[in-house]
Amino acid sequence: MDLQTLLPRLLPRAIAWAEAVAADTAARGAPLSALALADARTVGVQRPEQIRVLMVDHLPLPADPELQAAALQTGLLGPNMTGLTLGYSILICDGHLSRRLLSHECRHVTQFEHAGSIASFLPAYLSAIVQVGYWNCQFEQDARAHELSDA
Ligand SMILES: [Zn+2]
C-alpha cells in the first residue's frame, strides 16, 4: 500500500475517526492531577485543564479496513503503541501510565494547540509520518525531546 498516494483520500476519514475517538475520550476520561497539570504546562500546553485521560486495554482501531491497514502499516496504532493523543484527549494503555509517557502525550497536545484543531494538525502529522516514518517524524522527535523523566 503506497500511503503517500493514499493519504489525501484517507485524510477525511482519519480526521472523522480521530474526532469521534477524541469526543468519546473527552466524555469518559479523567482530568489531569495537580502534578500532571504542572507537567503539562512545563511541556507547553496552554489549556491543560482541557485535557482528559482515558485508560484503555488497547488503543482503538478504525473499523474502516483501509484506515485500519494504514494505521497498522505506519505503526501508529500497532501493538507497540501505548499512548495516543487526539486533540485534548489522551488514551493510555493499562499498565503503561508513567510521567514520561504522559509528558510525551501532553507535548502532542501542545503541537495540536499550535495547529488549532484536529483537522489542521492531523494532515501535517500524518504526512510527516508517511514521508519519514514514525520515529523520524518531527512531531515525534519534538515529543521525545520534551519527555519528563520518571521520578
Ligand atoms: Zn508520540
Side-chain angles (χ1 to χ4, degrees):
M1 172 157 53
D2 177 11
L3 286 178
Q4 296 223 36
T5 309
L6 267 181
L7 189 61
R9 197 156 63 75
L10 290 179
L11 265 178
R13 283 179 273 159
I15 291 167
W17 177 82
E19 286 174 341
V21 173
D24 176 64
T25 302
R28 298 194 294 130
L32 295 179
S33 68
L35 275 174
L37 278 170
D39 282 352
R41 286 192 189 93
T42 298
V43 302
V45 178
Q46 295 297 307
R47 300 174 66 194
E49 68 286 344
Q50 296 283 108
I51 293 175
R52 292 294 179 274
V53 179
L54 186 65
M55 301 303 298
V56 293
D57 59 4
H58 56 83
L59 297 180
L61 268 178
D64 182 318
E66 239 179 358
L67 213 50
Q68 183 175 124
L72 293 172
Q73 185 177 322
T74 55
L76 269 182
L77 297 173
N80 297 323
M81 288 300 161
T82 52
L84 175 69
T85 295
L86 301 164
Y88 285 106
S89 294
I90 298 176
L91 295 98
I92 305 274
C93 290
D94 290 330
H96 292 277
L97 183 59
S98 67
R99 188 186 190 206
R100 180 180 294 278
L101 181 59
L102 195 53
S103 57
H104 176 110
E105 299 305 328
C106 283
R107 183 62 187 178
H108 286 311
V109 175
T110 302
Q111 296 167 352
F112 149 79
E113 283 183 329
H114 291 159
S117 68
I118 288 177
S120 51
F121 176 68
L122 216 52
Y125 178 82
L126 291 179
S127 14
I129 297 267
V130 163
Q131 280 166 38
V132 298
Y134 175 80
W135 185 258
N136 292 320
C137 126
Q138 79 221 48
F139 299 103
E140 289 305 326
Q141 289 187 346
D142 175 69
R144 286 199 300 275
H146 285 82
E147 289 173 357
L148 301 172
S149 54
D150 296 314

